């Protein structure tokens, strides 16, 4: 469709929608129709959100303040604390990012992908970065930061996982080094001593392993939004005395 | 700038950036320049994200799979469980949404705004909906759901708050009714009996109030991303034996 034709259809439609008492109007424009965006903006539409292949525009016909739902505001990340029976922690050095070239050891971390469960992401990231199979046990803490990326916020979940294998097969593209390190040695590294979150992670995870700290385990539940399964994270031991 | 001029500048710039070995290229186009989007798309750019007033386009000059950071994936919401010393819970009926006209009582809930802390949102939403002042105590559980809005995911945090006032001043636009209801009466409502999340919330919060369930309290910490304060949610009592 050409912009002139689009404007004519859009103007007529807006008049119709106004007469019908409609308020919020959404236009999802595939990237192939980028030529029509300017016309929609001239008709009062603004941007709601965008994904690689489309732009979602929105208009509030009554004018004034709207009650349209907000766009996504948070990126979600995980860190996986994996300790074996010899009290060795699985740690990596990253090839990129802020820690590049510092020689700092850290637990495997990563971003939760679209539609992925936190407990699944924890297992996936460890496998990808180190080749080690793990089982998710609990979320032990989380941190909310603001203005992390593009003014968006970040939620970082500290996960405890149990190793199911021990051989390390490093991801060459993102990881500089990976190894099992004794928890005493790791707790004494400069990174953990200086970095507040890393220190918290070690303290919390060791307390949990020693049975002194309760975490939230993952329980399947139903979603309010659709029939998909959701996951509830709560202290099931405390709630059910088991 | 007109599209023809923009294309000419962009083409020359891309050649320069390629020669310089640059990989990821970002263009933040204010909505006033919607006329330039089509030209950028024709030069290989795609959409990364959008906010009401701008569109962020991105290009990966080497081609192939990129390592650009992902867009925000989650909306974050809170529910605030507020109980007074008479073991009455602060509950509301919503004017809009899925529960409109059902007469169902629920705890105040809402969306965490951009840049807002979870603990702050819990206090704000209760104040807005009911006029009651509260103090955030702990996060007791959370739930992750997918495809909640626009294919994005949702993280919902169950917060426990302590009331600092009791008089109810209802928000007329969003709330149909608000009251203090005895926890026995609330636990016996059809909504709580049928609705899995509501049932969890009551069980968890009553266990917490009776001292049988540990939650995560909010502790200021530093962000990895900038000098802003972040908030860490963890069981401080278990970690510090206090």
């Amino acid at each position: 469709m050409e912009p002139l034709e689009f404007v004519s259809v859009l103007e007529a439609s807006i008049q119709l929608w106004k007469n019908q008492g409609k308020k919020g109007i959404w236009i999802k424009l595939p990237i192939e129709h980028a030529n029509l965006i300017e016309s929609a903006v001239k008709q009062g539409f603004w941007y709601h959100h965008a994904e690689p292949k489309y732009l979602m525009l929105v208009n509030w016909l009554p004018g004034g303040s709207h009650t349209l739902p907000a766009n996504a505001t948070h990126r979600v990340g995980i860190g996986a604390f994996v300790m074996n029976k010899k009290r060795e922690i699985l740690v990596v050095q990253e090839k990129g990012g802020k820690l590049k070239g510092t020689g700092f050891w850290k637990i495997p971390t990563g971003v939760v992908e679209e539609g992925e469960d936190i407990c699944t992401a924890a297992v996936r990231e460890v496998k990808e970065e180190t080749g080690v199979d793990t089982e998710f046990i609990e979320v032990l803490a989380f941190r909310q930061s603001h203005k992390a990326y593009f003014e968006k916020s970040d939620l970082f979940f500290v996960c405890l996982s149990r190793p199911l294998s021990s051989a390390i097969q490093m991801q060459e593209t993102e990881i500089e080094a990976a190894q099992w390190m004794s928890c005493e040695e790791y707790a004494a590294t400069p990174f953990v001593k200086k970095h507040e979150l890393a220190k918290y992670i070690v303290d919390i995870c060791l307390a949990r392993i020693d049975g002194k700290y309760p975490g939230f385990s993952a329980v399947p539940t139903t979603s309010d939004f659709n029939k998909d399964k959701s996951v509830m994270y709560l202290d099931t031991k405390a709630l059910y005395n088991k």
Side-chain angles (χ1 to χ4, degrees), chain A:
Chain A
M1 194 183 277
E2 287 305 306
L4 276 178
E5 189 188 350
F6 180 65
V7 167
S8 143
V9 173
L10 191 56
E11 278 179 343
S13 303
I14 288 176
Q15 200 51 56
L16 178 68
W17 293 324
K18 278 187 178 167
N19 293 343
Q20 292 172 338
K22 292 207 193 308
K23 293 176 176 175
I25 306 294
W26 301 85
I27 298 180
K28 184 175 175 177
L29 267 185
I31 195 164
E32 298 79 36
H33 298 297
N35 61 324
L36 305 180
I37 298 170
E38 187 187 4
S39 307
V41 170
K42 283 184 176 163
Q43 294 293 319
F45 284 78
W46 68 88
Y47 308 151
H48 185 272
H49 68 277
E51 293 295 325
K53 299 280 179 209
Y54 75 87
L55 174 65
M56 183 72 86
L57 296 121
V58 70
N59 200 346
W60 185 246
L61 297 185
S65 65
H66 65 76
T67 57
L68 299 164
N71 190 0
T73 49
H74 286 64
R75 219 177 65 139
V76 178
I78 57 90
F81 190 92
V82 182
M83 186 186 264
N84 64 20
K85 286 181 180 166
K86 290 184 274 181
R87 290 181 75 87
E88 292 168 332
I89 303 167
L90 184 59
V91 290
V92 300
Q93 287 180 15
E94 293 182 347
K95 270 195 176 160
K98 290 182 180 174
L99 300 183
K100 178 183 176 177
T102 58
F104 284 147
W105 292 100
K106 57 186 279 296
I107 62 170
T109 56
V111 175
V112 175
E113 293 176 355
E114 187 158 307
E116 188 180 38
D117 287 328
I118 290 164
C119 51
T120 309
V123 172
R124 176 184 54 73
E125 283 289 349
V126 173
K127 180 70 177 176
E128 280 180 11
E129 293 192 356
T130 70
V132 173
D133 293 304
T134 57
E135 178 195 7
F136 168 87
I137 307 292
E138 283 171 6
V139 166
L140 299 186
F142 62 92
R143 187 195 59 181
Q144 187 189 23
S145 307
H146 301 299
K147 298 188 179 178
Y149 294 95
F150 312 114
E151 302 295 304
K152 296 292 182 175
S153 300
D154 182 275
L155 270 164
F156 178 83
F157 291 88
V158 179
C159 301
L160 178 72
S161 291
R162 178 187 296 139
L164 301 175
S165 68
S166 59
I168 290 176
Q169 176 111 32
M170 212 168 70
Q171 184 184 46
E172 301 290 342
T173 51
E174 289 180 30
I175 302 299
E176 187 66 43
Q179 68 166 76
W180 293 96
M181 186 185 285
S182 84
C183 69
E184 291 76 18
E185 190 183 345
Y186 183 60
T189 59
F191 178 64
V192 173
K193 285 192 158 177
K194 283 183 188 164
H195 191 267
E196 198 173 7
L197 179 59
K199 178 90 168 62
Y200 264 126
I201 291 174
V202 171
D203 289 350
I204 291 170
C205 293
L206 290 181
R208 167 63 182 79
I209 283 167
D210 294 337
K212 293 173 186 162
Y213 186 98
F216 290 170
S217 48
V219 177
T221 179
T222 47
S223 169
D224 289 346
F225 305 105
N226 50 50
K227 286 173 186 165
D228 287 3
K229 280 284 168 196
S230 295
V231 177
M232 184 96 185
Y233 294 83
L234 73 161
D235 187 337
T236 50
K237 289 186 293 294
L239 192 61
Y240 303 120
N241 294 314
K242 65 181 182 188

